[in-house]
Amino acid sequence: MSIYRSRPLKLDRVKTYPLRSRPSKVSVADFARVPPPQASIRQWTKSLPNILAGQSFRAVIAALSRARSQRQPIIWGLGGHVIKCGLSRVLIDLMNRGYLTAVAMNGSTLIHDFEISMVGFTSEDVPESLGTGSFGMAEETGRLIHEAVVQGDSEGLGIGESLGRFLVQARGAAKPRFRQYSLLAAAYQKGIPATVHEAIGTDVIHAHPSMDPRALGAASHRDFLLLAGIVKEMDGGGVYLNVGSAVVLPEVFLKCFSLAANLGHSPRGITTVNMDFIQHYRPTENVILRPVKAATKAGGPSGQASQGYSLTGHHELMIPLLAAALP
C-alpha cells in the first residue's frame, strides 16, 4: 500500500460527450487539395489548406486585391536584403500592376538600389574589407548619393525623390547603366512616392567625406512626414507590408501611425503584413499587433476589421510567390 496521503483520482465518474457535438478548429473542408498537373500559381494557391500560414497567405492576397480595387494605399517597407536578393524587377512589376503604390526604404536599401542601378552589382565582402578600412568607401556611392540629397534638399525634396530623379536624369559618366533594375528610378518615373529613412551611423555613406548631415537629416525628416501622410490615407482598407526590416521601418511605421492619429486621422480597417525569414520583436509589435489593435479600437468603416499577418520565409521565394498568386 502507498505511503502517500494523497490518492489518485478515479475515472469512473468522468463526464464525456459525443465527438460530433464538439466545436473544432480544423475540418476536412479546410484541408489542402491536390492541384491538377501543370496548375498555375493561382490554382496552386487555391489548393492550400485554409489553416495557419495557408490561411494567412490567401488572406494577404485578398487584402491586396481589395486595396487595389478600392484604390487604397499599398505601402511596401523594404529592408536592404530584399534588393540584395535580386527582387527589384518583381517589385517594379507589382508597382506597374497597382500592388505597390508607395515604397519606404531604410538606408541600406537605398545604397543597394543605387549601386545596382549604377554598375549592376552590390554587397561587398565585409570581413575582407573591414580590417583594411575600405569597407563602405566606394567613391561614387557616397559622393553621388550625397550630391543628389543636397541638391534635392535645397529644393524641398526628400531623399527618395532626390535619388529617383538623379537616377532618371543623370547623363555622361554618372549615367546609371542598369537603371531598369532600380526601384527608386521606376517609382520616380511613375510618380509613386518613395521615402528613405536614415538612422545616422548605420549606413556606410555616413562615413563618406561628402556627407552633409544637415541635408541628410532634413531630407529624411521630410520623407518621414510624407510617409505619415500616406499612412493617414490607409483608413478604410489600406495595406502596409514590412519586408526584411527588423528595427528601423517598424519603428518609423509606428510613429507615422501615431502622428496620423494625433492629427485626427487614425487609420481604421487596415491590413498589416510582416514578411521575413525570422519573425522579430519590433515587426511583430509595431506592425502586426499595436497598429491593428489601435485601428480596431478606433473602429472600422463599414464594419471592416483590421488584421495583421506574419508570413515567414525567404524573400527570394516568398515575394515572387506572392506576386505570381495575385490576380
Side-chain angles (χ1 to χ4, degrees), residues 2 4-15:
S2 174
Y4 301 143
R5 297 181 58 185
S6 300
R7 293 289 180 260
L9 290 176
K10 296 181 179 180
L11 301 178
D12 58 324
R13 300 181 67 180
V14 169
K15 302 177 182 65

Side-chain angles (χ1 to χ4, degrees), residues 6 58 63 65 122 171 190 205 213 226 255 259 284 305 307:
S6 300
R58 292 199 289 189
S65 300
T122 189
R171 298 291 182 268
K190 292 184 68 68
I205 60 171
L226 174 59
K255 307 317 184 289
L259 180 56
T284 299
Q307 299 288 344

Side-chain angles (χ1 to χ4, degrees), residues 298-317:
S302 305
Q304 183 173 320
S306 296
Q307 299 288 344
Y309 300 99
S310 298
L311 298 178
T312 305
H314 292 279
H315 304 311
E316 57 270 29
L317 299 177

Side-chain angles (χ1 to χ4, degrees), residues 127-135:
E128 186 70 22
S129 58
L130 187 61
T132 65
S134 61
F135 170 57

